[in-house]
């Protein structure tokens, strides 16, 4: 009897989705530097949460001058606003139903601008009732790769 109850409980836990087991991610898509400022573009992924992501909140881990965001951008259906006290930014779905990020989907078009080009943030993912669904640390950096102009003959010489 105990074995049957244990199997039944295990199956029930595997079938019932909960926000506690949800997985979210912020993915850096690209970055652009102009002078001393860097703009980072990113997407938000909701892998499997039954509760959609409707808000995002970025709080700098070490709010030093330079890690405070100076501009933000949002995809269609979303808005962004600064949190002056902490130097962070909040992104919110304008219409919590259709604009939220549901399970198995990704939404791109988010951005922020700061000076310099490296900071770490605590990211809070919240649901339609502004309940915290999850938090994680995200560090963004804009790495530039040096490029040298070479001809095809120059490249072939490397392998001869």
């Amino acid at each position: 009897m105990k074995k049957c109850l244990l199997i039944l409980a295990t199956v029930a836990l595997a079938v019932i989705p909960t926000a506690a087991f949800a997985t979210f991610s912020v993915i850096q898509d690209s970055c652009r530097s102009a002078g001393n400022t860097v703009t980072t573009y990113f997407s938000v992924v909701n892998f499997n949460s039954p509760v959609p992501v409707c808000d995002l909140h970025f709080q700098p881990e070490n709010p030093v001058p330079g890690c405070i965001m100076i501009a933000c951008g949002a995809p269609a259906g979303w808005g962004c606003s600064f949190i002056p006290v902490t130097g962070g930014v909040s992104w919110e779905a304008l219409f919590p139903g259709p604009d939220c990020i549901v399970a198995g989907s990704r939404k791109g078009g988010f951005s922020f601008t700061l000076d310099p080009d490296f900071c770490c943030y605590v990211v809070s993912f919240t649901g339609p009732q502004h309940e915290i669904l999850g938090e994680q640390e995200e560090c963004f950096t804009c790495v530039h790769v040096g490029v040298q102009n070479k001809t095809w003959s120059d490249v072939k010489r490397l392998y001869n």
Side-chain angles (χ1 to χ4, degrees):
M1 183 67 172
K2 285 183 182 180
K3 195 178 219 180
C4 288
L5 289 175
L6 180 61
I7 291 171
L8 183 61
T10 304
V11 170
L13 286 175
V15 172
I16 300 171
T18 64
F21 297 108
T23 305
F24 310 98
S25 187
V26 171
I27 299 169
Q28 182 174 341
D29 296 325
S30 65
C31 61
R32 292 199 177 105
S33 54
N36 292 333
T37 63
V38 174
T39 301
T40 299
Y41 301 88
F42 65 95
S43 297
V44 178
V45 180
N46 177 349
F47 291 105
N48 62 3
S49 173
V51 180
V53 175
C54 297
D55 304 318
L56 268 170
H57 308 283
F58 279 41
Q59 296 297 327
E61 284 189 334
N62 299 313
V64 296
C67 271
I68 297 172
M69 296 181 187
I70 58 175
C72 63
W78 286 66
C80 63
S81 59
F82 294 102
I83 307 168
V85 175
T86 64
V89 174
S90 290
W91 285 268
E92 296 182 2
L94 300 177
F95 299 101
D99 292 330
C100 294
I101 305 165
V102 297
S105 66
R106 170 182 175 156
K107 183 175 281 293
F110 296 93
S111 68
F112 61 86
T113 303
L114 55 91
D115 176 17
D117 61 353
F118 181 79
C119 289
C120 292
Y121 298 91
V122 174
V123 179
S124 299
F125 302 89
T126 60
Q129 305 301 317
H130 306 290
E131 70 278 22
I132 294 178
L133 303 173
E135 289 186 333
Q136 66 187 45
E137 177 191 56
E138 290 292 337
C139 296
F140 299 91
T141 185
C142 192
V143 178
H144 300 281
V145 178
V147 178
Q148 295 179 350
N149 288 331
K150 297 284 184 181
T151 65
W152 178 242
S153 296
D154 292 334
V155 174
K156 288 192 320 188
R157 269 189 228 123
L158 292 173
Y159 299 98
N160 287 334

